[in-house]
Amino acid sequence: MWKLASHWLCWFLIFTYVVKDVKTEFKTKRNALLIVADDGGFEIGAYRNKICQTPNLDDLAKNSLIFNKAFTSVSSCSPSRSAILTGTPSHQNGMYGLHQGVNHFDSFNNVESLPKILKKNNIRTGIIGKKHVGPAEAYPFDYAQTEENNSILQVGRNITHIKLLTREFLNSTLDKPFFLYVAFHDPHRCGHTNPEYGQFCEKFGNGEEGMGVIQDWQPIDYQWDEVQVPYYVPNTEAARRDISAQYTTISRLDQGVGLVLKELENAGHLNDTLIIYSSDNGIPFPNGRTNLYDSGIAEPMFIFSPLHKKRRNQVTNSLSSLLDLVPTLLDWYEINKTVIITKQILTGKSLLPLLVKEPADTSKEAVFASHNLHEITMYYPMRMIRTQRYKLIHNINYGSSFPIDQDFYLSPTFQDILNKTKANQPTGWFKTLKNYYERPEWELYDLKHDPSEVINLAGKPNMEDTLQELKSRLIDWQGKTEDPWICAPHAVLEDKGYYKNNSLCMDLDNLW
Ligand SMILES: *[C@@H]1O[C@H](CO)[C@@H](O)[C@H](O)[C@H]1NC(C)=O
Ligand SMILES: *[C@@H]1O[C@H](CO)[C@@H](O)[C@H](O)[C@H]1NC(C)=O
Ligand SMILES: *[C@@H]1O[C@H](CO)[C@@H](O)[C@H](O)[C@H]1NC(C)=O
Ligand SMILES: *[C@@H]1O[C@H](CO)[C@@H](O)[C@H](O)[C@H]1NC(C)=O
Ligand SMILES: *[C@@H]1O[C@H](CO)[C@@H](O)[C@H](O)[C@H]1NC(C)=O
Ligand SMILES: *[C@@H]1O[C@H](CO)[C@@H](O)[C@H](O)[C@H]1NC(C)=O
Ligand SMILES: *[C@@H]1O[C@H](CO)[C@@H](O)[C@H](O)[C@H]1NC(C)=O
C-alpha cells in the first residue's frame, strides 16, 4: 500500500482533488432567487399597506434594500417578462405583446437571455410558475415547471406544489451555482377564465366544497369596507370587493414566499443567494396595467444580498428599472458583460452598488418605458421617460381610443364604471371614461406637484424647454435600443439600402 501511495499518479489525484475543492467552494457561493408576483404585489406591509397581511415578505424586506422608485419598462405581462429576462425593452427583443393564444408574440430567436447567458457560464437555471415568454430556444431553462406542461393554477398558485418543486430543483442542483426564477401567478385576476374560483382565484384550494385544498395555506378573508383603495381606483363597493379578493391571493403569495425561503434555508443557501422580489406590471385596475402612468409601471422591489449588510431595511429613492435586473445578476455572478453581450446593448445598470451606498445626486437619473400592444387587438404604442421630477409620455397612436383588455373589462370595478357612465351617474373615479380613452399625443406631468398625473403640461410655453429636453433623451434611448417606432407617427424610418449608413426619419406631412 505504501508503495502504491507514493506512486506519482496518486499524488496527482490528491493534488487535483484539493485544487478542485477550493475552486468549487468559491464558485458555489453565488446563487440567485428571483421572485416575481403577477400583476401587483405592492399591497404589503413594507410598502405601508396596513390591512393586507404579508409577514414573510415584510421580513424579507427588513433584511433587504427597499426600492421606492422601481419601474417596469412595460406594463404588460409577456413584454415585461421578456425585458426582465433579456435586459432589453420589448421593442428590441421582439415581444411586442402577449405570448399566449391568438396574441402569439415571441422574442427574436437569437436574443440573449439570462437562461442562455447563465448556462454558458455553468450556472443551472430553473423556472417554477408563469413563463409566458417564447420561443423555447430563446429561454432555455435547465429545469422548467411552467404553464407549458402543467396547470398554471398548480405551478403558479398552489403554494404546497410550488414548495415541493422548489425542493426538487434545489435537491437536483448540488454541484453548480443556480439561478431560480419563481414566478407566482398570484395575485392575477381569474374571473374571466375560472369564475368558479372567484375574481382573483381567491377560493382555489381554500378547502370549501369543490375548491380543493392547498395544505400549507391558511386563507385570510378581508372585509371589503376595510381595504386601502389606491387614488386611481374608484372608492366604490364593487372596487373594494375586488381589492379584498386580491388581498386574499396576496396573502397566499406571501405564505408561498415563506415556504420557498424555508426550502432555501433547509438546503443551506440562505447565506449564498441573492434574493430579488418584484412584479411584472401594475395592478389590473383602471389606470393600472397597460398604462405608463406611475400607477401602471411602479413596481415593488427589494433585494437581499448575503454579502451586503450595510443598507438592510433602508430605502433607496434612486430610479431603477426592471431592465436593470440582467446587469445586476451578471454583476452578482461576476460575468463579464462585454464578453457575453455582443449582440445587444444593455441600457440598464447593476443595482448592487445601491446596496452599498445611495448616490449623492439622483436628479439626473431617468427610467424609460416602451409599450406596443397587450392583446393582439390592442395596438397602442407609447414611449416614456421618467425623471425624479417629470414624466413624458408619447402616445404614438393618439388618434385611436385607448384599448381595454378582456380580463380587466369583465372586472366588477370596470363594469361599475361603465354602468355608471352609461347611466350618467357619478363614478367615484378621478377620471372620466372619455378622458381615459382619448389621449393627446404628448403628456407631460410634474410629479412633484401632480403625482397622480392629471394636469398635462405639454404645450404650456413655460414647459417647452423641459419638454424638448425630455424628448431628446427619449429619442436618444429609442435610438440606442434600435426602436423600429423611432420616427412614428409623423415620419417613416428609412435605414436600409441607400440609407444604411445614414438612417433618416422621412416626413409624412400628416401634422394637421
Ligand atoms: C415539464 O417539462 C420538464 C422538462 O422541461 C420536465 O422535467 C417536467 O417533468 C415536466 N412536467 C410535467 C408535469 O410534465
Ligand atoms: C434529495 O432527495 C433524496 C431522495 O430523492 C434524498 O435522499 C435527499 O436527502 C435529498 N437531499 C436534500 C438536500 O434535500
Ligand atoms: C396542491 O398541491 C398538493 C401537492 O402537489 C396537492 O396535494 C393538492 O391537492 C393541491 N391542491 C389543489 C387545490 O390542487
Ligand atoms: C453557509 O452556511 C453553511 C452552513 O451553515 C456553511 O457550510 C457555508 O460555508 C456558508 N457559506 C457561506 C458563503 O458563508
Ligand atoms: C471584459 O472583457 C473585455 C473584452 O474581452 C475586456 O476588454 C475587459 O477587460 C474585461 N473586463 C473585465 C472586468 O474582466
Ligand atoms: C353592470 O350592468 C350590467 C347590465 O345591467 C349588470 O349585469 C351588472 O351586474 C352591472 N355590474 C356592476 C358591477 O354594477
Ligand atoms: C456603409 O459603410 C460601409 C463601411 O463604412 C461601406 O463599406 C458601405 O459601402 C457603406 N454603404 C453605403 C450604402 O453607403
Side-chain angles (χ1 to χ4, degrees), residues 80 114 251 348 375 389:
S80 176
L114 275 177
S251 287
E375 292 161 9
R389 178 79 188 262

Side-chain angles (χ1 to χ4, degrees), residues 323-495:
L323 293 174
D324 297 333
L325 294 185
V326 165
T328 302
L329 286 160
L330 296 186
D331 189 6
W332 171 250
Y333 287 112
E334 298 178 316
I335 295 171
N336 185 340
K337 102 177 171 182
T338 46
V339 175
I340 300 299
I341 312 287
T342 50
K343 288 182 230 157
Q344 64 211 32
I345 293 168
L346 294 179
T347 55
K349 60 189 184 299
S350 170
L351 300 174
L352 295 185
L354 288 174
L355 270 56
V356 178
K357 184 161 153 277
E358 186 77 351
D361 178 13
T362 60
S363 65
K364 301 283 183 304
E365 293 177 342
V367 289
F368 298 88
S370 155
H371 179 101
N372 299 298
L373 299 97
H374 181 65
E375 292 161 9
I376 180 64
T377 50
M378 295 171 62
Y379 182 69
Y380 204 81
M382 300 178 276
R383 298 294 180 266
M384 183 222 79
I385 174 173
R386 188 201 192 282
T387 62
Q388 293 280 2
R389 178 79 188 262
Y390 296 106
K391 155 100 51 98
L392 180 70
I393 300 174
H394 187 196
N395 295 310
I396 292 171
N397 197 14
Y398 63 97
S400 178
S401 259
F402 187 77
I404 304 295
D405 55 282
Q406 41 99 27
D407 68 325
F408 168 59
Y409 182 88
L410 288 181
S411 70
T413 302
F414 188 69
Q415 285 295 306
D416 186 55
I417 294 176
L418 206 53
N419 286 0
K420 286 177 172 154
T421 301
K422 283 180 181 164
N424 242 326
Q425 290 166 2
T427 60
W429 195 28
F430 79 138
K431 290 190 173 175
T432 63
L433 270 186
K434 187 169 160 44
N435 63 35
Y436 188 63
Y437 291 153
E438 292 175 10
R439 304 183 182 188
E441 180 173 4
W442 295 96
E443 296 176 72
L444 174 63
Y445 299 107
D446 181 342
L447 301 167
K448 185 172 170 200
H449 296 115
D450 176 29
S452 49
E453 299 162 279
V454 288
I455 305 163
N456 185 7
L457 302 175
K460 297 264 182 297
N462 62 334
M463 295 305 293
E464 191 54 25
D465 290 352
T466 306
L467 187 129
Q468 288 310 331
E469 190 217 317
L470 292 171
K471 212 178 196 177
S472 87
R473 289 177 79 179
L474 181 56
I475 288 181
D476 182 55
W477 178 74
Q478 289 182 260
K480 277 193 189 124
T481 54
E482 298 171 335
D483 188 351
W485 278 262
I486 191 166
C487 304
H490 303 299
V492 166
L493 171 65
E494 294 296 351
D495 61 356

